[in-house]
Amino acid sequence: RIVALEQICQTFRRILRELRKVVLVDVVSAVPLSSEQIEQLKTRLTILTKAQQIELSCRQDPELLGGMIVRFGDQVIDASLRGQLRRMALQLAAY
């Protein structure tokens, strides 16, 4: 049973988040976010997700060049410079 303990804990956390209306958000940014930026992001995500609380997981990826990628649930908001350049390249290739 000890083998299944990790999966049981993950399931318990997921159910607890659903009951408390807590949304787990993964943020990948090019530079470290300040505490003010994190609070602004939490406020906007609370409105967007209609959650009572936001639980942020922040990490850094210098390959983004600038901006951030926000993932919650099955949604992804790509506001990174790398993502914008990729979209531009696809639009130019379509012509």
Side-chain angles (χ1 to χ4, degrees):
R1 292 181 185 158
I2 195 77
V3 177
L5 186 60
E6 184 177 341
Q7 187 176 359
I8 292 168
C9 288
Q10 289 175 353
T11 303
F12 175 76
R13 285 188 206 116
R14 182 184 51 80
I15 292 170
L16 187 61
R17 282 188 190 109
E18 288 174 6
L19 291 173
R20 291 184 176 175
K21 295 186 181 179
V22 175
V23 175
L24 183 60
V25 179
D26 182 40
V27 178
V28 182
S29 62
V31 296
L33 299 175
S34 69
S35 58
E36 184 178 309
Q37 289 172 322
I38 290 173
E39 288 305 314
Q40 288 177 354
L41 187 58
K42 280 184 178 182
T43 302
R44 290 182 182 185
L45 287 170
T46 301
I47 294 167
L48 181 66
T49 61
K50 297 181 176 96
Q52 289 184 357
Q53 188 178 353
I54 299 293
E55 195 174 305
L56 277 183
S57 169
C58 297
R59 59 189 169 92
Q60 208 175 337
D61 183 3
E63 290 185 15
L64 290 180
L65 304 175
M68 67 179 69
I69 298 174
V70 180
R71 292 182 181 96
F72 56 94
D74 58 352
Q75 294 187 1
V76 177
I77 301 172
D78 188 353
S80 67
L81 187 56
R82 183 177 68 184
Q84 291 175 10
L85 290 172
R86 188 175 341 122
R87 285 188 294 274
M88 263 195 273
L90 289 173
Q91 288 176 349
L92 290 173
Y95 290 112

